Amino acid sequence: GERTGYDLRIGAYGTPATPDEYEPDNTLATAKPINVGAAQQRNFHVAGDQDWVYFDAVNGIEYTITTSDLGSRADTVLELYNSGGTLIAANDDYSGLASRIVWTATASARFFVKVRQYNGSVYGANTNYRLNLTSAAPDAYEPDNTLSTARPIVVNGAAQTHTFHTAGDQDWVFFAATSGYSYRIETLNLASCSDTVLELYNSSGTLLAYNDDGGG
């Protein structure tokens, strides 16, 4: 009746911004490459903007895809697809309005990532974000998860760069000690997610010394 009328309005909130350097990339077919270890600065420059990237995965390797450094109006959603367009994984709010997918490749193949704004009608200024792709590839000393598979390390030689590439990963090394000498064993140059524990054993597997937070 006369008293039940209303107005309906559909609005988009924003002013078109300058496209980021990876446009056009609004579909799986126009996805742009992203390298493992790389970060790309992006934005949602028009209403309904989608950003697609692809990478070539290696079977059995764990990959982490994240958005970070979000602008004040950005609210990302991450989606992972295979080359046939089948959705494999998705994440909305992992940390605040940022997103994160941790996924282990089931085949050596090309995979695609779509990033979209949760509210596609919000775009333009301050919808910027950073897209990151990292992998937990084995370091050069794997496999070395047990005393029996320990790799040699040279006393007073070059430092070795290791990673924890899978859940529960352990890295074992061995060295020849001389009676009466003092030895200093340390981890250093830790990445932002590393928190190491050192344990020293004899050849029979008896724990001789232990340290957790010896320096931070």
Side-chain angles (χ1 to χ4, degrees):
E2 295 180 356
R3 297 186 179 182
T4 59
Y6 62 90
D7 294 331
L8 176 65
R9 175 181 295 168
I10 300 175
Y13 301 95
T15 301
T18 302
D20 60 52
E21 62 182 292
Y22 306 99
E23 295 290 345
D25 60 351
N26 268 41
T27 65
L28 183 148
T30 58
K32 298 298 194 295
I34 185 170
N35 294 323
V36 175
Q40 297 181 353
Q41 298 291 341
R42 292 174 165 271
N43 67 352
F44 300 112
H45 69 289
V46 292
D49 189 22
Q50 299 178 5
D51 295 331
W52 285 79
V53 300
Y54 69 83
F55 64 98
D56 294 320
V58 176
N59 186 32
I61 298 299
E62 182 182 271
Y63 295 88
T64 301
I65 310 154
T66 59
T67 58
S68 61
D69 299 331
L70 273 63
S72 60
R73 300 171 69 236
D75 181 1
T76 59
V77 178
L78 275 174
E79 298 173 0
L80 176 67
Y81 295 82
N82 65 18
S83 59
T86 300
L87 181 65
I88 297 171
N91 180 260
D92 180 10
D93 298 328
Y94 168 74
S95 176
L97 301 180
S99 310
R100 180 174 183 254
I101 291 174
V102 179
W103 166 79
T104 300
T106 54
S108 294
R110 181 161 292 180
F111 292 86
F112 296 79
V113 178
K114 178 173 75 175
V115 190
R116 62 180 175 86
Q117 180 82 311
Y118 178 79
N119 182 353
S121 65
V122 178
Y123 62 94
N126 300 315
T127 62
N128 54 288
Y129 67 94
R130 182 163 64 180
L131 179 64
N132 315 278
L133 173 66
T134 59
S135 73
D139 59 53
Y141 306 97
E142 294 290 344
D144 60 350
N145 266 40
T146 64
L147 184 148
S148 62
T149 58
R151 299 304 180 95
I153 188 169
V154 178
V155 176
N156 294 326
Q160 296 182 354
T161 300
H162 290 259
T163 62
F164 299 115
H165 70 289
T166 58
D169 188 26
Q170 299 178 7
D171 296 328
W172 286 76
V173 300
F174 69 86
F175 65 98
T178 300
S179 178
Y181 280 73
S182 295
Y183 294 87
R184 178 185 178 93
I185 308 162
E186 61 183 340
T187 58
L188 64 162
N189 298 329
L190 272 64
S192 59
C193 291
S194 288
D195 181 2
T196 59
V197 178
L198 276 174
E199 298 173 359
L200 176 67
Y201 294 83
N202 65 16
S203 57
S204 299
T206 301
L207 181 65
L208 305 177
Y210 164 95
N211 180 262
D212 181 6
D213 299 326

